[in-house]
Amino acid sequence: MVNRILTTLMLGCACLAWSASALPAQPAAPALELTVRHTDAPDGGKAYRIAANGTVAATQSLAWRILTDYDRLADYVPDLKSARVLARDGDKVIVEQVGAARFLFFSRDIRLVVLVHEQPPNKIDVSLIEGDMKVYRCSWELVPLESGGTRVLYRAAIEPAFYVPQAIGTNLVRQDIARMMTAVLKRIERANSSGAEKITLIERE
């Protein structure tokens, strides 16, 4: 991520389950692979383990510039109301994010303050300082490709500090992460003036 339940960068609710059949493959469209699992967390609760990746027709340096432009995340990440840098010390950045979480007819704001550890040119680690999550860790990795493009990898473990019905929680998180990743990949593609606007989701179990 950062978005509805996640509000993520990064950092990223409705009841729509995503599947490969729902979005037919298009050869010209970059593909998004996504896995979400609900597993035991260190505190005895449950956490969502997320793995996602997609390829963009842009250089590693351009993708890095987009991902580390924290003050502009809310311009394109769905349901992220605001994002701002609170402090910076070398490769450590403290970022505040506020997003909207929606479930059926209810809505609430979700606030996170996170510590971002930048490891240029290819790795970003994010950890929770405070906010509406029991567990929040994520990372971004940028892998340059021989084609000149970049593979964008996202890994996360999240556990909301508020109740999410288990029966639909995985689908809610899957949709939010898919929307967040799609928005990030599209933003990088637009910055590269490639004109690619469609992302194909491939579900991995």
Side-chain angles (χ1 to χ4, degrees):
M1 320 221 355
V2 207
N3 47 71
R4 287 184 252 187
I5 286 179
L6 177 63
T7 62
T8 171
L9 213 51
M10 259 176 142
L11 288 159
C13 294
C15 301
L16 174 63
W18 290 68
S19 67
S21 60
L23 294 172
Q26 300 179 22
L32 169 62
E33 299 183 0
L34 172 62
T35 300
V36 178
R37 294 188 175 89
H38 199 213
T39 62
D40 292 334
D43 66 356
K46 294 284 187 179
Y48 296 96
R49 308 285 178 175
I50 301 154
N53 72 85
T55 300
V56 292
T59 63
Q60 182 188 65
S61 60
L62 176 58
W64 176 269
R65 179 169 61 82
I66 296 300
L67 287 176
T68 56
D69 191 3
Y70 310 114
D71 289 328
R72 290 185 172 85
L73 289 174
D75 292 347
Y76 60 91
V77 174
D79 301 306
L80 185 60
K81 293 183 174 181
S82 67
R84 63 189 181 112
V85 172
L86 300 181
R88 180 183 288 273
D89 182 10
D91 60 2
K92 304 292 198 315
V93 189
I94 297 177
V95 180
E96 179 191 58
Q97 299 176 339
V98 178
R102 297 186 181 94
F103 173 64
L104 297 179
F105 303 107
F106 302 96
S107 178
R108 60 168 291 177
D109 284 348
I110 303 298
R111 177 180 178 270
L112 297 178
V113 177
V114 298
L115 174 63
V116 181
H117 181 197
E118 299 177 345
Q119 302 173 59
N122 67 330
K123 187 75 181 293
I124 303 168
D125 289 320
V126 183
S127 58
L128 181 67
I129 296 176
E130 64 178 38
D132 298 309
M133 290 282 173
K134 292 181 181 178
V135 176
Y136 183 82
R137 298 186 303 275
C138 74
S139 67
W140 296 86
E141 186 175 357
L142 303 174
V143 180
L145 304 175
E146 291 184 1
S147 64
T150 302
R151 181 163 292 276
V152 181
L153 298 97
Y154 175 80
R155 301 288 183 272
I158 65 170
E159 182 184 2
F162 51 90
Y163 175 69
V164 178
Q166 183 173 349
I168 60 173
T170 300
N171 283 340
L172 298 182
V173 173
R174 181 182 290 114
Q175 183 184 8
D176 279 355
I177 296 300
R179 293 178 70 238
M180 182 272 291
M181 282 293 294
T182 297
V184 169
L185 297 179
K186 283 184 177 181
R187 177 66 185 90
I188 296 171
E189 290 271 0
R190 285 197 300 270
N192 196 55
S193 300
S194 69
E197 289 294 336
K198 295 181 179 179
I199 305 294
T200 298
L201 177 65
I202 302 172
E203 180 64 22
R204 303 296 187 191
E205 295 296 345

